[in-house]
Amino acid sequence: GNSVTQMEGPVTLSEEAFLTINCTYTATGYPSLFWYVQYPGEGLQLLLKATKADDKGSNKGFEATYRKETTSFHLEKGSVQVSDSAVYFCALSGDSGNKLVFGAGTILRVKS
Amino acid sequence: GAGVSQTPSNKVTEKGKYVELRCDPISGHTALYWYRQSLGQGPEFLIYFQGTGAADDSGLPNDRFFAVRPEGSVSTLKIQRTERGDSAVYLCASSMGPGRANTGELFFGEGSRLTVL
């Protein structure tokens, strides 16, 4: 079945450091890939997405590229801020388009 | 508010009790989803409604779990004979129509945290 594996956290960085959170997936067909973010006290929200191979999703300085050859969708940001502290989830959509499969989540802590 | 609303935000119950969790989706959203997030894990799909009907309930773990959406808006997740392993955050999401998981157009509530003692 479909699955997502992402790097374990917590990841602790200083402000303005470079961020990478690794995500790899196993899927049948051609899923869409997503990064969702959960800020403290808030619901999950979509951060960025890519719907086909080689697409790059980007938002708020974050970006991720859909790499079919390595089945990866790593999240990167060039310079993190304290306000980026949150839990980040990598996810893919199932064939029906009505079901998301999530990774376990990675806690990011950014210190000033 | 305009977002997905879930009540209660926290529920503590004893093993063996019955629990209901409510989800009020965004107005006009016809699709509604329930997910369960256990500690240290990502959300896991439970059930998906399109309108009043459960279009996919393949994620419900056993027959103690049941969900309804009688008027195609508010949904209730019902858990009978709760067990300690049911402790988790139950998330609800809604979208304008079917197939929106592919486009990321799912809007999540803040969740209901269930603790079974």
Side-chain angles (χ1 to χ4, degrees), chain A residues 31-32 34 36 38 41-46 49 51 87 89 93-105, chain B residues 33 35 37 40-45 48 56 58-59 91 97-110:
Chain A
S32 294
F34 308 91
Y36 279 80
Q38 189 169 33
E42 298 184 17
L44 272 172
Q45 53 188 274
L46 179 66
K49 66 181 182 185
T51 57
V87 185
F89 293 91
S93 64
D95 289 340
S96 70
N98 293 313
K99 191 182 298 186
L100 287 170
V101 176
F102 287 89
Chain B
Y33 314 77
Y35 284 77
Q37 186 174 7
Q41 301 297 317
E44 294 178 300
F45 172 81
Y48 153 64
D56 183 349
S58 62
L91 298 173
R100 300 305 172 106
N102 274 339
T103 57
E105 293 168 81
L106 263 61
F107 296 87
F108 284 84
E110 293 183 30

Side-chain angles (χ1 to χ4, degrees), chain B residues 58-77:
Chain B
S58 62
L60 293 177
N62 52 61
D63 62 5
R64 295 186 299 104
F65 288 75
F66 190 71
V68 295
R69 196 185 184 201
E71 297 177 359
S73 179
V74 171
S75 176
T76 304
L77 178 66

Side-chain angles (χ1 to χ4, degrees), chain B:
Chain B
V4 177
S5 176
Q6 292 189 245
T7 54
S9 55
N10 276 288
K11 175 71 177 178
V12 180
T13 191
E14 294 179 341
K15 181 175 179 294
K17 298 290 189 183
Y18 169 81
V19 166
E20 289 190 351
L21 306 175
R22 175 189 167 107
C23 173
D24 203 338
I26 292 172
S27 178
H29 280 193
T30 61
L32 185 145
Y33 314 77
W34 283 99
Y35 284 77
R36 177 169 71 173
Q37 186 174 7
S38 301
L39 191 63
Q41 301 297 317
E44 294 178 300
F45 172 81
L46 294 177
I47 187 169
Y48 153 64
F49 287 90
Q50 178 54 38
T52 60
D56 183 349
D57 64 358
S58 62
L60 293 177
N62 52 61
D63 62 5
R64 295 186 299 104
F65 288 75
F66 190 71
V68 295
R69 196 185 184 201
E71 297 177 359
S73 179
V74 171
S75 176
T76 304
L77 178 66
K78 308 180 181 202
I79 311 174
Q80 298 178 321
R81 305 183 304 280
T82 51
E83 299 177 357
R84 293 195 179 87
D86 299 336
S87 296
V89 177
Y90 289 82
L91 298 173
C92 178
S94 69
S95 67
M96 287 191 67
R100 300 305 172 106
N102 274 339
T103 57
E105 293 168 81
L106 263 61
F107 296 87
F108 284 84
E110 293 183 30
S112 293
R113 181 178 298 278
L114 174 65
T115 303
V116 182
L117 301 177

